Amino acid sequence: MAPSENSSDSTHFGFKQVPTDEKAGLVRGVFDSVAENYDVMNDLMSAGVHRLWKTAMIDWLMPRAGHHLLDVAGGTGDIAFRFLDKVKGDGTVTVLDINHAMLSVGQDRAIDQGRLSGLDWVNGDAQSLPLPDKSVDAYTIAFGIRNVTDIPLALREAKRVLKPGGRFLCLEFSTVEAAILKDVYDFYSFKLLPEIGRLVAKDKESYEYLVESIRKFPDADRFAEMIVEAGFHQVKYRRLSGGIAALHSGWRL
Ligand SMILES: C[S@@+](CC[C@H](N)C(=O)[O-])C[C@H]1O[C@@H](n2cnc3c(N)ncnc32)[C@H](O)[C@@H]1O
């Protein structure tokens, strides 16, 4: 990401430059539009692989019984549900998302799955978390951070709300490095995926934004540096599926 693309006045929204204060509203519009079809589209677009990545995230988190997880940009609950399964129901999750429609789909899913306790659904912004300092054991964010207008601010907020000894984990799309995979992935992303969005969700534009936003996100090394700059320690990452996604981990001391 070139520094000149992010001034205080303008920022990127996919490949477009937009006034900084308009980005959150545009992102909200995308997720209002995709919420109803979000889960089915995730399975379709990734051939189910997003499930493996999310499971890998919770495996790496290694949550303990009684832990309180804050899952930011938690959407329809995939990470929260995996966490609760991992701690066998003995834990709590605050699922925080800026978008009502995504949370509402998540709440319906929780009821359908008989998940009646351990979940708190909160409408809020990753950049100004409505939680006290040092209040959660772990912070996760899956496929959310690239949509946030001020990523360094969101990372500082993550550190603020984590207890000392708490863990930060981020799952996000990343940069494919192998040339052959890159060509196939580009073709799939720019040609096929928006068409799948048009046919299944009747919304090509939102899926174009999702693809473009992936390309605007920093590569895994740069994102690791940003996590360090926010004050986290022992920052590490793992590439998933040839770099299509990456899992970043850091600790609050
Ligand atoms: C691609 S979805 C990911 C949902 C879920 N974590 C998953 O992996 O299935 C991105 C989510 O980020 C949310 N989001 C975008 N900007 C946000 C912000 N500033 N604060 C909190 N949530 C945000 C969107 O509303 C959307 O639900």
Side-chain angles (χ1 to χ4, degrees):
M1 193 179 348
S4 59
E5 289 177 351
N6 277 325
S7 68
S8 56
D9 298 336
S10 86
T11 189
H12 54 84
F13 172 72
F15 290 165
K16 297 188 191 84
Q17 278 298 115
V18 298
T20 302
D21 56 2
E22 286 179 15
K23 177 162 170 165
L26 291 167
V27 169
R28 202 175 294 123
V30 166
F31 288 100
D32 275 339
S33 168
V34 304
E36 196 189 333
N37 295 298
Y38 179 78
D39 292 308
V40 75
M41 281 296 288
N42 261 355
D43 278 334
L44 205 61
M45 292 184 309
S46 72
V49 173
H50 76 105
R51 294 171 182 251
L52 304 180
W53 295 337
K54 288 169 176 168
T55 299
M57 181 183 213
I58 293 300
D59 285 348
W60 203 15
L61 184 64
M62 287 193 289
R64 292 212 302 270
H67 268 184
H68 179 190
L69 170 69
L70 170 64
D71 183 39
V72 173
T76 61
D78 272 1
I79 298 301
F81 300 163
R82 278 172 175 72
F83 168 87
L84 288 174
D85 290 345
K86 191 81 174 176
V87 295
K88 302 193 167 43
D90 186 0
T92 50
V93 191
T94 302
V95 186
L96 180 137
D97 200 287
I98 205 163
N99 187 286
H100 276 292
M102 293 288 282
L103 288 174
S104 164
V105 172
Q107 282 169 302
D108 288 348
R109 286 179 80 202
I111 292 165
D112 289 348
Q113 294 178 17
R115 298 179 187 275
L116 304 176
S117 62
L119 284 160
D120 188 18
W121 302 87
V122 174
N123 185 227
D125 187 339
Q127 299 166 119
S128 56
L129 297 171
L131 279 95
D133 295 357
K134 303 180 184 172
S135 57
V136 300
D137 298 291
Y139 173 112
T140 49
I141 182 163
F143 304 115
I145 203 145
R146 75 177 190 283
N147 300 295
V148 171
T149 308
D150 188 339
I151 293 173
L153 177 57
L155 293 173
R156 291 194 299 276
E157 275 292 271
K159 185 184 167 210
R160 180 184 68 76
V161 300
L162 274 168
K163 294 176 187 170
R167 181 93 183 261
F168 167 89
L169 265 187
C170 176
L171 173 61
E172 188 50 270
F173 289 106
S174 192
T175 312
V176 171
E177 291 190 331
I180 293 181
L181 182 58
K182 193 175 177 312
D183 288 346
V184 175
Y185 183 56
D186 279 351
F187 177 76
Y188 174 71
S189 303
F190 289 108
K191 300 280 183 233
L192 292 185
L193 208 140
E195 281 306 311
I196 299 174
R198 185 176 66 79
L199 290 170
V200 179
K202 313 276 176 271
D203 179 0
K204 188 174 177 185
E205 268 191 8
S206 292
Y207 289 90
E208 280 170 346
Y209 161 74
L210 293 176
V211 170
E212 291 172 7
S213 64
I214 292 169
R215 302 314 160 98
K216 301 301 284 186
F217 190 67
D219 68 25
D221 285 326
R222 175 63 197 128
F223 186 50
E225 283 169 13
M226 291 169 74
I227 298 168
V228 171
E229 284 159 15
F232 285 98
H233 294 263
Q234 292 177 278
V235 174
K236 296 190 177 101
Y237 67 82
R238 296 176 181 174
R239 292 186 204 279
L240 303 171
S241 305
I244 293 177
L247 260 174
H248 282 75
S249 162
W251 293 87
R252 174 176 182 160
L253 295 188

